[in-house]
Amino acid sequence: MTHRQFLETGVARLEYRLTRPAHSTGPVLVLLHEGLGSLDLWKDFPAQLAEAGATPVLAYSRQGYGRSSPIALPRSLDYLGVDGPDELARVLDGLGLEQVLLVGHSDGASIALAYAARQDPRVRGVVVLAPHVDVEPASVEGVRRTVGAYARGDLRERLRAYHGDNLDGAFRGWSETWLNPAFADWNLYPELPRIRVPLLAIQGQEDEFATPAQLETIAREVAGPCRTVLLEHCRHFPQNQARPRVLALIAEFLAALPG
């Protein structure tokens, strides 16, 4: 596996790993993790995705996660639509990436959609897993359940190995934002019609943080070609709970991208 590296963006020091399989071609797949995720929490998914797509895969921990620089709390209520995409732009610039395909999960999916709406010509397409384009009651309830698990200590201990000193900041930055009553009005409705690149949206039918309305809204509002897939017997982590199908779908999507 490629070693962990660090990128100085001028704002933060971010950990990243770029996996390049032999004879890789095509755009770099840039992975954007969920609200409690990190570089290491992708585990072996980046390596398997690189092999399945025969393309380089970049994964990094956003500021406040993993071994990246800490972040001040509270997070801005615009962190998905503004802060995350701004940071992504600094990553693309800092690593000199010219052609990319964004692959975001949950919070990372929201960031990927918001960035695609900026119409950066480097972005060839977008894949979103368990996306959020607004705040549903199911989302808030899922966060509340997660807060309970964290308070009991079991989830906290599992996450400690991945976030180290960033643990409490990462958890509070995510949970306190989603449970803030002012965040209930957050959405990506203005951004979706500005997305013109090909889009693949994947969700588990049993997603405990969202309903299929997320896929319906995306398909209805984006301007570019869009395919949505609702996976049976799958919850909020399609890349783990339905990995063979997800790898195949992304490989198909890559192969069909315009040249």
Side-chain angles (χ1 to χ4, degrees):
M1 179 178 289
T2 309
H3 293 301
R4 184 193 321 270
Q5 296 178 273
F6 289 88
L7 172 69
E8 299 285 352
T9 69
V11 175
R13 184 172 189 254
L14 305 180
E15 64 171 351
Y16 75 94
R17 182 177 291 121
L18 181 59
T19 303
R20 290 188 180 274
H23 311 298
S24 61
T25 60
V28 176
L29 274 59
V30 179
L31 301 187
L32 298 157
H33 62 74
E34 75 273 15
L36 296 179
S38 70
L39 168 64
D40 289 336
L41 268 166
W42 287 108
K43 299 185 179 178
D44 59 348
F45 180 68
Q48 291 189 10
L49 182 57
E51 290 299 326
T55 189
V57 174
L58 170 72
Y60 70 96
S61 294
R62 297 193 296 276
Q63 185 178 0
Y65 293 94
R67 272 63 183 174
S68 293
S69 297
I71 196 166
L73 297 179
R75 280 190 178 274
S76 164
L77 296 184
D78 289 332
Y79 83 100
L80 294 177
V82 177
D83 298 347
D86 285 351
E87 181 179 66
L88 174 57
R90 291 190 289 270
V91 170
L92 301 185
D93 292 344
L95 294 178
L97 302 183
E98 297 179 354
Q99 297 287 318
V100 301
L101 186 143
L102 306 180
V103 181
H105 171 236
S106 194
D107 272 19
S110 303
I111 293 170
L113 292 169
Y115 193 82
R118 298 184 178 189
Q119 300 178 2
D120 183 335
R122 293 175 290 190
V123 177
R124 297 274 309 281
V126 181
V127 176
V128 289
L129 308 169
H132 298 288
V133 297
D134 56 20
V135 179
E136 295 184 286
S139 307
V140 175
E141 183 55 34
V143 174
R144 286 201 181 106
R145 286 194 302 270
T146 307
V147 168
Y150 192 77
R152 290 193 301 272
D154 47 350
L155 177 61
R156 180 188 179 93
E157 291 311 308
R158 290 200 305 273
L159 290 174
R160 186 183 301 279
Y162 298 101
H163 294 294
D165 293 341
N166 276 329
L167 175 60
D168 285 332
F171 190 85
R172 288 183 54 204
W174 170 75
S175 61
E176 291 176 5
T177 301
W178 276 88
L179 296 180
N180 187 326
F183 190 66
D185 293 329
W186 170 83
N187 61 71
L188 291 177
Y189 299 160
E191 286 81 1
L192 293 177
R194 297 200 292 268
I195 299 176
R196 299 174 181 172
V197 293
L199 173 64
L200 171 64
I202 302 171
Q203 186 179 11
Q205 196 170 50
E206 300 167 13
D207 191 330
E208 60 270 44
F209 287 90
T211 73
Q214 300 294 323
L215 296 188
E216 295 164 8
T217 300
I218 290 169
R220 183 176 64 248
E221 298 296 334
V222 296
C226 177
R227 179 185 181 188
T228 62
V229 179
L230 189 63
L231 297 173
E232 295 182 350
H233 312 300
C234 179
R235 301 186 301 281
H236 190 60
F237 288 80
Q239 70 272 23
N240 296 336
Q241 295 150 356
R243 180 169 297 182
R245 180 68 172 135
V246 167
L247 290 174
L249 286 167
I250 296 177
E252 291 170 11
F253 181 74
L254 267 170
L257 283 178

